[in-house]
Amino acid sequence: MDEQQQQQQEMKVKNSWHRPQIIVVTALIAVGIIIMVAIAVVQHKPLNQKYKYGIVLDAGSSHTSVYIYEWPAEKENNTGMVQQKHSCNVKGKGISSYSGTPHKAGESLKECMDEAKKTIPKHRHQETPVYLGATAGMRLLKMDDNTASEKVLKSVATSLQSYPFSYEGARIISGQEEGAFGWITVNYLSDNFRKASGTVGALDLGGASTQITFVSRQELESPDNSIDFRLYGNDYHLYTHSFLCYGKDQVLKLSLEKQIEPKLDMTDNIILEDPCFHPGYIVNKSFQSVFDSPCVKKINSFLGQQSFIHKGLGDWNKCHEAIKKVFNTTYCRYSRCSFNDIFQPPVEGRFGAFSAYFFVMNFLNLTTFNLEEAKKNLETYCTTSWDTLKQKHPKVKEKYLAEYCFSGTYIITLLEDGYRFTNETWENIDFIKKIGDSEAGWTLGYMLNLTNMIPAEAPDTPLLPYGGYVMLMLILSLLIFVFFILGYIFFRRPSGPTHKEII
């Protein structure tokens, strides 16, 4: 009887798996485990970072560059975290050179804008803003021929509107804007807006203009030289000025004009002995090549077709004196000026010098020397014969190679005699091309400022906040534990008659 009872009891235990209570509890446990695993997988999946894009075209006096920027869709302190993703240099000269054939200005942008279409994800095209900012070359064209400048801008606008991006305008930006946005770029890339150490000043040198911008602790006597920005929750009050016609290409014309002008009445061929060009340099040039700019005086068309002999002397000290003549320092209506009656407080703090500042000083290998050493090394360089120089740099275009002595001397003269940097403050100048992967210049600052007007997009976030996720997983774990206990109880409970009932 005992053996029979044992067998029956074992059968009852085995049959317990088929009881409805056990099936329900097992199903609940399985569902609970599945839910926990699913929530954990979704909660910890990698978040896809959403990016937005913007395109800024820098239409300078000598060339046009297209910059593509990207930034996270969510913004930090109302300013997007912008980084340079891609850049493209448009082939040919700047858009201002197409004043006679304005339709070609728009056509010149095609190759780089086609690259932009490929670089930016297609689903972002329609929301990607495109801005073209024209600088000093177009400022000069507007001064000289307003109708021609409008036709050029219309041409580039038509070209940009043909792309699937959000066209936001093509305009000539002011010199003050150019300087201020360059300042934003340098400080943004250096992460100075989030540091307690303060900001650095910006020195920008192009072909047709030059800008200086910095935060000054002194009262700014000229409202025209003051501009305010709010970035990352902080207000910045800047001194800035842009000198039109004082880019390295235009100031060369100014210098040549001052040397040629006393000789214009001469009937014989004019030989211009230029201390800023290398000994052995002899080139025939037309007067038109010097007097074709609003920065210099107009001459009659007949004289414009005539030529002069441009002969190099390679005398740095005389070159320095000749360049100083393009600065008017005889009159200042303020407590202090830089030159040409323009107010400027004393330079203070560190400065980043970029664009032509870097390219010229880097070529001359003068970026790491103090002021006196830079002068001595440049003096030696300028005395180098033209033939020796061409042999040493066979891949550099002769036009550019010939002008480095002048450009280097102009940079030193501008900084020392124009902006009043001294031997001591020269040490605070850093000549820079890039900071990180982004180029120094006004375009990134321009884009950074414009992102304040672009609506932020909600970022991807985890399914639950961390605290809620932990609490939910704890509750589910407790429920599953309870179901296990219930299952065990139901499993062990006999399903048939009890031992007493059998007896």
Side-chain angles (χ1 to χ4, degrees):
M1 192 62 155
D2 291 339
E3 184 177 349
Q4 184 181 358
Q5 289 177 355
Q6 186 176 356
Q7 290 176 352
Q8 288 177 345
Q9 186 68 22
E10 289 176 357
M11 289 296 294
K12 292 172 186 175
V13 173
K14 291 178 180 178
N15 291 335
S16 294
W17 285 108
H18 302 290
R19 296 175 61 191
Q21 298 97 322
I22 296 299
I23 295 173
V24 171
V25 170
T26 303
L28 289 173
I29 291 173
V31 170
I33 293 173
I34 292 172
I35 291 175
M36 288 185 67
V37 171
I39 291 175
V41 169
V42 173
Q43 181 76 12
H44 294 97
K45 73 174 183 178
L47 298 179
N48 293 322
Q49 177 70 67
K50 295 179 180 179
Y51 284 100
K52 288 195 172 187
Y53 300 87
I55 304 172
V56 183
L57 288 86
D58 176 5
S61 60
S62 58
H63 72 281
T64 299
S65 295
V66 178
Y67 296 98
I68 298 174
Y69 297 103
E70 70 174 7
W71 62 96
E74 62 271 19
K75 298 188 294 183
E76 178 176 331
N77 292 335
N78 293 321
T79 308
M81 300 295 293
V82 183
Q83 293 182 341
Q84 182 177 314
K85 182 177 179 64
H86 181 74
S87 65
C88 177
N89 290 322
V90 174
K91 293 179 180 178
K93 297 182 179 180
I95 60 173
S96 59
S97 66
Y98 297 103
S99 58
T101 54
H103 67 280
K104 292 184 177 180
E107 293 174 0
S108 68
L109 308 178
K110 184 179 186 305
E111 187 174 335
C112 282
M113 290 305 296
D114 286 343
E115 280 191 26
K117 279 179 64 177
K118 297 177 182 178
T119 302
I120 297 174
K122 190 173 182 179
H123 71 279
R124 291 292 191 184
H125 281 180
Q126 290 188 342
E127 67 183 42
T128 297
V130 178
Y131 304 86
L132 182 141
T135 55
M138 286 297 290
R139 289 180 214 134
L140 291 176
L141 179 59
K142 184 177 178 66
M143 288 171 53
D144 194 46
D145 190 339
N146 185 57
T147 301
S149 71
E150 290 179 353
K151 288 181 178 179
V152 169
L153 287 177
K154 185 177 180 180
S155 172
V156 297
T158 301
S159 176
L160 294 176
Q161 286 171 332
S162 68
Y163 287 88
F165 305 115
S166 175
Y167 172 73
E168 299 294 336
R171 69 182 183 91
I172 301 173
I173 67 171
S174 70
Q176 274 73 9
E177 287 179 304
E178 187 177 0
F181 291 134
W183 175 85
I184 291 177
T185 296
V186 172
N187 285 283
Y188 177 81
L189 292 176
S190 303
D191 205 26
N192 290 331
F193 293 129
R194 291 182 287 186
K195 293 178 181 177
S197 56
T199 60
V200 300
L203 297 167
D204 187 3
L205 177 63
S209 69
T210 185
Q211 289 74 232
I212 178 171
T213 308
F214 60 98
V215 173
S216 175
R217 289 172 292 182
Q218 295 196 9
E219 180 182 355
L220 301 184
E221 301 174 25
S222 171
D224 292 339
N225 300 121
S226 175
I227 191 167
D228 296 315
F229 278 104
R230 183 172 181 81
L231 292 166
Y232 292 91
N234 296 313
D235 294 315
Y236 297 94
H237 189 53
L238 305 179
Y239 167 83
T240 185
H241 188 76
S242 175
F243 290 91
L244 188 60
C245 297
Y246 282 82
K248 68 180 185 65
D249 298 334
Q250 292 298 321
V251 86
L252 175 58
K253 295 178 186 290
L254 287 173
S255 180
L256 291 174
E257 175 198 29
K258 290 190 175 296
Q259 296 178 71
I260 291 173
E261 195 171 18
K263 304 175 183 290
L264 286 177
D265 294 332
M266 297 175 60
T267 55
D268 298 330
N269 289 334
I270 295 177
I271 300 177
L272 178 62
E273 295 183 323
D274 195 332
C276 297
F277 284 71
H278 298 272
Y281 176 86
I282 301 178
V283 177
N284 281 330
K285 294 183 178 178
S286 69
F287 286 109
Q288 183 63 25
S289 66
V290 176
F291 294 91
D292 62 348
S293 166
C295 295
V296 297
K297 296 178 180 178
K298 294 289 186 182
I299 57 174
N300 62 63
S301 58
F302 172 77
L303 186 58
Q305 300 303 316
Q306 305 303 307
S307 63
F308 66 96
I309 298 173
H310 194 193
K311 181 179 180 181
L313 295 180
D315 189 325
W316 185 85
N317 289 297
K318 290 183 178 179
C319 175
H320 187 209
E321 291 302 315
I323 290 176
K324 286 170 70 173
K325 293 179 181 179
V326 304
F327 301 114
N328 183 357
T329 57
T330 58
Y331 174 73
C332 177
R333 69 185 122 160
Y334 303 102
S335 62
R336 57 178 292 128
C337 293
S338 51
F339 56 94
N340 295 2
D341 190 32
I342 299 299
F343 166 75
Q344 181 193 298
V347 292
E348 54 184 281
R350 298 203 67 82
F351 282 79
F354 48 91
S355 298
Y357 278 116
F358 173 81
F359 293 114
V360 172
M361 298 299 273
N362 183 64
F363 177 85
L364 296 170
N365 195 27
L366 299 177
T367 59
T368 59
F369 292 102
N370 62 40
L371 179 57
E372 292 306 316
E373 291 172 337
K375 288 180 180 179
K376 290 178 181 178
N377 288 353
L378 187 54
E379 181 177 358
T380 301
Y381 172 81
C382 289
T383 60
T384 306
S385 73
W386 178 234
D387 287 338
T388 301
L389 206 61
K390 287 191 293 183
Q391 291 175 5
K392 187 176 180 180
H393 303 282
K395 295 183 179 181
V396 180
K397 288 186 178 181
E398 290 190 6
K399 178 187 182 305
Y400 301 140
L401 187 62
E403 295 176 3
Y404 276 116
C405 171
F406 172 86
S407 297
T409 306
Y410 171 59
I411 286 174
I412 287 177
T413 309
L414 172 63
L415 295 176
E416 182 182 26
D417 300 289
Y419 296 151
R420 312 302 171 89
F421 280 90
T422 63
N423 290 326
E424 291 74 26
T425 55
W426 183 274
E427 304 290 337
N428 296 328
I429 302 175
D430 297 310
F431 295 93
I432 54 177
K433 178 185 180 184
K434 284 187 173 184
I435 302 176
D437 294 327
S438 298
E439 294 182 35
W442 64 268
T443 54
L444 191 147
Y446 191 58
M447 188 75 246
L448 184 63
N449 186 59
L450 291 171
T451 58
N452 283 321
M453 297 179 285
I454 299 173
E457 186 174 301
D460 285 336
T461 57
L463 179 66
L464 297 169
Y466 180 75
Y469 167 72
V470 172
M471 182 62 69
L472 180 59
M473 297 300 281
L474 181 60
I475 292 172
L476 287 173
S477 299
L478 289 173
L479 286 174
I480 290 173
F481 178 73
V482 169
F483 289 146
F484 267 116
I485 298 298
L486 289 174
Y488 178 78
I489 292 172
F490 290 141
F491 181 79
R492 299 300 302 173
R493 180 181 297 171
S495 60
T498 64
H499 175 67
K500 290 181 179 180
E501 290 173 338
I502 295 175
I503 297 175

